[in-house]
Amino acid sequence: MSFNTFGRMFRVTTWGESHGPALGATVDGCPPGVRVDEATIQHWLDRRKPGQNKYTTQRREADAVKILSGVFEGQTTGTPVQLMIENTDQRSKDYGDIAETFRPGHADITYWQKYGIRDYRGGGRSSARETAARVAAGGLAREAIKALAPGVQITGYMVRMGEHEINRDRFDWDQIDRNPFWVPDAQAAETWAGYLDGLRKSGGSVGAVIEVVARGVPAGLGAPVYAKLDTDLAAACMSINAVKGVEIGEGMSAAILTGERNADEIFMGNDGEPVYSSNHAGGILGGISTGQDVVVRFAVKPTSSILQPRQSITKSGEPTQIITKGRHDPCVGIRAVPVGEAMMACVILDHLLMHRGQVGEHRGSIG
Amino acid sequence: MSFNTFGRMFRVTTWGESHGPALGATVDGCPPGVRVDEATIQHWLDRRKPGQNKYTTQRREADAVKILSGVFEGQTTGTPVQLMIENTDQRSKDYGDIAETFRPGHADITYWQKYGIRDYRGGGRSSARETAARVAAGGLAREAIKALAPGVQITGYMVRMGEHEINRDRFDWDQIDRNPFWVPDAQAAETWAGYLDGLRKSGGSVGAVIEVVARGVPAGLGAPVYAKLDTDLAAACMSINAVKGVEIGEGMSAAILTGERNADEIFMGNDGEPVYSSNHAGGILGGISTGQDVVVRFAVKPTSSILQPRQSITKSGEPTQIITKGRHDPCVGIRAVPVGEAMMACVILDHLLMHRGQVGEHRGSIG
Amino acid sequence: MSFNTFGRMFRVTTWGESHGPALGATVDGCPPGVRVDEATIQHWLDRRKPGQNKYTTQRREADAVKILSGVFEGQTTGTPVQLMIENTDQRSKDYGDIAETFRPGHADITYWQKYGIRDYRGGGRSSARETAARVAAGGLAREAIKALAPGVQITGYMVRMGEHEINRDRFDWDQIDRNPFWVPDAQAAETWAGYLDGLRKSGGSVGAVIEVVARGVPAGLGAPVYAKLDTDLAAACMSINAVKGVEIGEGMSAAILTGERNADEIFMGNDGEPVYSSNHAGGILGGISTGQDVVVRFAVKPTSSILQPRQSITKSGEPTQIITKGRHDPCVGIRAVPVGEAMMACVILDHLLMHRGQVGEHRGSIG
Amino acid sequence: MSFNTFGRMFRVTTWGESHGPALGATVDGCPPGVRVDEATIQHWLDRRKPGQNKYTTQRREADAVKILSGVFEGQTTGTPVQLMIENTDQRSKDYGDIAETFRPGHADITYWQKYGIRDYRGGGRSSARETAARVAAGGLAREAIKALAPGVQITGYMVRMGEHEINRDRFDWDQIDRNPFWVPDAQAAETWAGYLDGLRKSGGSVGAVIEVVARGVPAGLGAPVYAKLDTDLAAACMSINAVKGVEIGEGMSAAILTGERNADEIFMGNDGEPVYSSNHAGGILGGISTGQDVVVRFAVKPTSSILQPRQSITKSGEPTQIITKGRHDPCVGIRAVPVGEAMMACVILDHLLMHRGQVGEHRGSIG
C-alpha cells in the first residue's frame, strides 16, 4: 500500500484531479479471465453520479468510463486494467479567491502546508470526484469476486442522516434502491427528504452514517496481525473523503457490552457450517472472517462547503470570511454509499486472492 | 504493509506466539543515530506488563526486552533492530479442551478455518501478548521522533469503561499516571475501581474506549489518498486485538453535526502559525495533519474469556459449553492504552519519514 | 514493488498493450514542485521513438505523451502523475496465425500457459511498446533528480552489437548522439551500420550490450540488504524486455580478478571527498553508492521476430513453422538505450528519496 | 520489497550483525501445514557453515538455528516464522584500526558516508554472515515448495574460479557434493584445490561464478512487467554480498547470438507438454517460466580482505595502508553456492504463491 495505492494483491492506484482532463484507476493484480466491459463498470458509476436528483451536487458529469488496457475480447488478461473517466463539466470560472484562501474544514490548508503547491480548482486531488475512480475499480472487483466466491453480495445503505436514524425494525433490503438516500426504511426515506430539502434551501449541510454489509463471505479471509480483514476495511473506509469514524459489528458500542453479551455463541448449522446466535463481531474474529455477514459502518462528516459564513485566513495570513457558493451537496454521505460498497468489494477480493495465495483451497474443516 | 508488517518506511514486523519461546518485533527503516538502549524500551513495556495490579491478568511475565541487532554503542545504525521478549511464564497445563473446542468471541475458530492448524496454547498468535512487541517498537519510535520532531508528545488514556464515561470537565493530564486505568479524571478512577472489582469477582468482563492524543505534530504529515494520516491511524488501531471501532476527532458523532458547527474556523496565531477555533477534525484535514492535536479513539470489546458459561462447538462439530478458567482480564482495554500510544508513535514516525522523503523540509508557508 | 509497479517511494506502474487504445505510466510519490511539462517528457520519448531510421522497426507512432494529472501550472503537485501515450499505428491486419501459434523466443506461449488468455495483437503487454511508458516516467524522474541532486548526469550507449565491441580507447562522449546506435566510438558506428544493414536485408537479428552511466551521484545512496542500489539496478534492467544479463562495474569479469586487483584503492581528493584509483566496483560498495560513476551494463538478446523459419507448435499442439513477416527490428538493443537511461533515472530518484526519508541530510563526513 | 525484506508473499526480512548477539530471518507469509523442524533447516546451514575445510574462513560458528515462532507440533501455522542463529565466535579483539580506517573494496566507507555510524566489528551488517539467515529462510522455502510443486529440485554449483572454468562436457550432477567447491567436474575440483591452496598461502583471493538451476519448475510462474521471474532472480542474486553480475540462460552472451540461434524451437513432448530444442532462454520467456530448467548465474568478486597491502584513508582523511590479517576466505564464492540456492528457493516459492493467488490452478492448456 503506497500513497495512492490500495490493496496488496488487487492493487488499485487512483489518479487525477477534479478539474484536470481525466481521472481514473490503475488496477493491477486482477485475476485473468474475468468477464467485464465498460457497461458493467458504468452501471456502478451511474449509481454514484452527481446531479441525479436535487439532493446531490448539480455538477453534470457523464462519468463515462473507458477501459484502456488489460481487457481483451471481453475478459481480463491478468495485466493492469486502466479505467479512465474524462472530466467534462469543468466550468470555467474565476478561482481567484479559492486559490488565495483556505476553506475551513477543507484540505486546502493542509495540501498547501505539505506540498507548497495545490491544484485548487474544485478541490483538486482532495475532491470527492476521486471516489469515482474507486467505484470503477470496485465494479471490476465485483466481477472478479463472482468468479472466486459467487455467493458474495455487497450492499451499502444509510443508517443515519444527522439527528435522524433508521428504525431497524423496519429494515427492508428492497427499499434501498427505491429512494435517493439508499435507506432501508421507507418511513425514514420520507422524513429525510423533507429534512434535507430544508438544509439544501438554507445552504447548510449534515453528516451521515453508512453501513456496508457483505453477505456470503466464506470463513477464513483475513490475516494476522496487520492485514486483518477488519484492519483493511477500516483503512479502506477511513481513506474515503470526509470519513471520521469506522466501526466493525458492534463498533464503538462494544465498549459498553459485557463479555457475556458480546461473545456470539456458536452452534452447528444444518449445512455442516457453524452458525452463531448473534453477530456482535460483525463477521470477523481475530481479523479473520467467520462466514457471517461482514458488517462495517462509517461516519461521513458534513461538507464544509456551505452558505453560512465561516472565519478563515488567506495564504498571506490575512483574516477573511468564506461562503462557498455554487454547487452544493447538503449531505455528501449519500454519494458515499456506492463508494463504501466499492471499497468493501476491493478489500474482499484482495483477501480472497491473498488467502488463495498463501493457503490455497485447503481449510480446517469442522465436524 | 504485509500480513504481519506495519508501516511503509518505519516497518514493524511482529512475530511470536503466546506460549512459544519468545516473541518480538523486527523493525526496519529506523533512522540511524537514534540514541536507545534496552532500558529506554523497557520503560514502555513495563507500563503494559500484566500482573501489576489486581485489575489485569495475573500472568507473570518479566517482559524483558533484548536488542539483538541494529544498535551499536547506544545508537541505531540504520539497519534492522530486532527486539526480542522471551516468554517465561508458560504454565505447563493441559490444553486438551482448548485444543478441541472453540471459545465464542475468540479467534480459535477462524484460525482453524483459515489455516487448518493453530497454536492453541494461550491463544497462540492471536494472544494479546503480541501487543508487547508493538509496545517495544513504539518505544523505539518515540526515541526516533524526538530527533525528528522534538515537540511531539503522545499520551493515551481511557475515556470509557463499559457504561462509565469520564467527565471531560474534570480532565487532568496529571491524573493519567496516578491510577491503574490511565484515566484523566480522578473521580472516575475511583468509581471504576469499584466497578471493575465487582466484575472481577463475578468473572465477567467489560469493554473500554481509549483515546490517544499526539500533541506537537507538525502540519503537513499524511498523504492522499490511501496513505492518509487518519487512514493509517485507523488501520493501526483496528489491528490491535479486540478493537471494533476507530474514530478521528469528532468520530462517529461527526454524522450528527451540521457543516457550520463541524468546520473548525482558522485564525493566525501569534507565532505565525494558523490556529483553529475548535478541533472537530482531530488534527487532520484531507488526510494531512493541521498542526493541531491529533486525536484518535478506539473501542476495545470485552474479553470473552469469562466465567459465565457460553455455548459453543468442538472441532468435531459437537455442541459444548465453555467456561474460561484461570487468568482473567476483566477489562483488557486497560492494557490497550500503552499499545494505542505505541501505534500512534509508529504511525507518526512513519509519516515523518515519508514526508521528509517525498517533500523534504520545504513547506508552503502562510503569511 | 508489485507486478507492474517499480520503485518504493517513486513508484512507476506501467499499463497498456501494444494494440490497445493507449498505454502509460501512473507515477506516484513524485516530489512536489518539480517543473515539468509534456514537451520535457516528449524529448526523451522522441529518442526512443521507432521508425526514425532504417535500423529500427518501421511502426509509425507519434508517441505523444499527455499529462493527465499531478501537474498544475507547470509543476508537480505531489499527487500521482498520469502519463498517457495513445496508440495510433495499430495496423488492421489478420492476426489469425499469431493468435493460434507460439513464436519461439517470444512470451506468446508463457502468457498463454500462465493466464489462459493473451492479447496477441503485436505482443500485447509483452511488446517493447511498454518501454515507452518507462521512458516517459524516466523523463519525469530526470526533472525531479535535478532538484535533489543537480550534478547527476545519466547517459546510456551501446558497447556491443553481436560480435562487434567498441574500442574503449576511442571512447568519446560526444559521439553518442551522432549516430543511430548511440555508440561512443565513431569508427564502431560506421562498421556497425554496414553490419546491421546486412542483417536487416537478410531478415536476421542480433543482440547488444548497453552500458548506462550515472555521473555525479552522491555517496550514500542505497541500503542493505535487499534494497541495495545494485540490487535495484539489476531488477530495473532485467525487467526490460529481452534483457538476459546485468552487470555492475566489473560485472561477470569480477570472477576472474584477484582481490588485489579488484579492490579500488582510496585517496583523499582535493575537494575533501574520497577518490579512488579505479572503479571496478561500478560506484557501489555494500549496496551503497561511493560517489564514483555508477556503471551498469545489460545484454539484450536478438529479437526472435525474424524471417528465417523456426519450428514451433500451435495452441492445439500441432507442429508448425513460423516466419515473422512485417515490421522488423534487426537490433532491438538500439531502442533499449533510452530505456536503460530511464530505469537508471527512476532508481536513482527512488534512492534519493529513500535516503532523504530515512537519513535526512546528515552524512558521515570524512576528514 | 523493503530495505531488508525480500519477496512479496513469502517475505524474508533478515536482521543482525556479524558480532552482535544473534542474527536471523523473520519469515512472513509462509503457507500453513508445512512440515519443518530445526534439523531440516540446520541441514542447509551446515552446508554453508564456515570453517569446514581449509578453503573457507576459519571462524568457528555452530550456526545452530532456533525456530522461535510460527511452527507448532512440527508444522508451520501460517504466522511469522522467526529463525534465529546466535553468534558464538565473536573473538574479542582490538578493532581500533578497523574502526578508524576504510578497507578498500569493503562497505566500510559507504556505510559510514550513508549513516554516519557503523558497526565495524566483523563488517557488521555487511558481513557475509548475513547470508546464514538467507540459507535458513531458503531451507524453509524448500519445504514449502515440496508441498506446492513437489517436482522442483534446486541445485547450485561453481562453474568458474578465477581463470579456471569447468568443462561442460564433463558435467556430472553427482560430483557436486563430492568436493569442497561444489564443482560438477571432478577434474576441475582437483585443479582448483591446488590453485586455491596457493592463493590461501599467499594471502590472496579470487572471484567465482556460481550457477543455480531449478529443475521441475512448472510453466507459468512470473509476471509482467516488474515482477518477472528473471527480474526477481536478478534482484535476489545481486543482493548477495560481493555479487557483481547476474545472468539468465545465455546471459551476457545473448548479445552475441543471432535471433535464429537464440530462439529455442518448440515441439510437443510425449507427455503433452511443450519441449524445446535448446534452452538459451534459461527457462524464462517474457518473465514467465516455460517449464524448462530455470538457469541463473552470478559472479562473486574476490574478497578484498587480503594480506597484500592496499592504499586507503582513515576517517579523518589521512592516507594509510591496509593489510587484513586474521581469518581469510580466499574464495568467498564457495560459500555463495548454498546462498544462491536459498535465494532461488525463496523466489520460486514466492512466485508459486503469487501465481496461485492471482490465477489459481487454472492454466492455458496446449493440445
Side-chain angles (χ1 to χ4, degrees), chain C residues 268 272 365-367, chain D residues 314-318:
Chain C
M268 273 313 270
S365 54
I366 295 172
Chain D
T314 65
K315 260 168 70 173
S316 51
E318 298 304 313

Side-chain angles (χ1 to χ4, degrees), chain C residues 1-6 8 12 14 102 104-107 109-116 125 130 134 160 162-163 205-209 219-228 230-231 234-235 238-241 244-248 251-252 254-260 262-268 273-274 276 280-281 284-286 288-290 298-304 306 308 310-317 343 354-355 358-359 362-367, chain D residues 1-6 8 12 14 102 104-107 109-116 125 130 134 160 162-163 205-209 219-228 230-231 234-235 238-241 244-248 251-252 254-260 262-268 273-274 276 280-281 284-286 288-290 298-304 306 308 310-317 343 354-355 358-359 362-367:
Chain C
M1 209 190 297
S2 68
F3 299 175
N4 292 274
T5 299
F6 186 79
R8 291 177 183 79
V12 177
T14 70
F102 304 118
H106 272 87
I109 192 166
T110 50
Y111 270 62
W112 171 253
Q113 287 182 306
K114 182 178 190 73
Y115 296 118
R125 181 72 181 143
E130 184 270 341
R134 301 177 185 230
R160 171 182 286 281
E163 301 281 357
S205 68
V206 76
V209 176
L221 298 195
V225 173
Y226 297 109
K228 288 176 169 166
D230 33 4
T231 299
M238 195 63 97
S239 76
I240 302 171
N241 309 45
K244 300 303 283 185
V246 183
E247 302 188 316
I248 304 292
M252 297 305 292
I256 302 171
L257 297 184
T258 61
E260 193 176 359
N262 184 64
D264 308 309
E265 291 185 304
I266 317 175
F267 302 87
M268 273 313 270
E273 292 289 324
Y276 295 80
H280 296 291
I284 303 174
L285 284 175
I288 299 171
S289 63
T290 61
F298 56 91
V300 179
K301 71 176 182 185
T303 179
S304 30
I306 48 176
Q308 290 95 347
R310 300 295 292 164
Q311 201 63 36
S312 186
I313 57 173
T314 65
K315 260 168 70 175
S316 50
M343 296 313 292
M354 282 195 284
H355 179 75
Q358 190 190 7
V359 180
H362 168 76
R363 283 176 51 208
S365 54
I366 295 172
Chain D
M1 210 190 299
S2 68
F3 298 175
N4 291 275
T5 299
F6 186 80
R8 292 176 182 82
V12 177
T14 69
F102 306 117
H106 272 87
I109 190 166
T110 51
Y111 269 62
W112 171 253
Q113 287 183 306
K114 181 177 190 73
Y115 296 118
R125 181 73 182 141
E130 183 270 340
R134 300 177 186 230
R160 170 182 287 281
E163 301 280 358
S205 68
V206 76
V209 176
L221 298 195
V225 170
Y226 298 108
K228 287 176 170 167
D230 33 5
T231 300
M238 196 61 97
S239 75
I240 302 170
N241 309 43
K244 300 303 282 185
V246 183
E247 302 188 316
I248 304 291
M252 298 305 290
I256 302 171
L257 295 184
T258 61
E260 194 177 357
N262 185 63
D264 308 309
E265 292 185 302
I266 317 175
F267 302 87
M268 273 312 271
E273 292 288 324
Y276 295 79
H280 296 291
I284 303 174
L285 284 175
I288 299 171
S289 62
T290 62
F298 56 92
V300 179
K301 70 177 184 185
T303 180
S304 28
I306 48 177
Q308 291 94 346
R310 302 294 293 163
Q311 200 62 36
S312 187
I313 56 175
T314 65
K315 260 168 70 173
S316 51
M343 296 313 292
M354 282 196 282
H355 179 76
Q358 190 190 8
V359 179
H362 168 77
R363 282 176 52 207
S365 55
I366 295 173

Side-chain angles (χ1 to χ4, degrees), chain B residues 136-180:
Chain B
L140 175 57
R142 282 175 186 265
E143 297 309 308
I145 289 171
K146 276 185 198 166
L148 275 96
V152 172
Q153 226 180 318
I154 294 166
T155 317
Y157 42 86
M158 288 184 80
V159 295
R160 171 183 287 281
M161 179 186 285
E163 301 281 358
H164 303 274
E165 257 189 298
I166 63 163
N167 182 337
R168 297 227 173 221
D169 294 337
R170 287 195 301 259
F171 194 105
D172 179 358
W173 292 101
D174 294 337
Q175 285 301 321
I176 295 172
D177 279 330
R178 293 193 192 143
N179 60 74

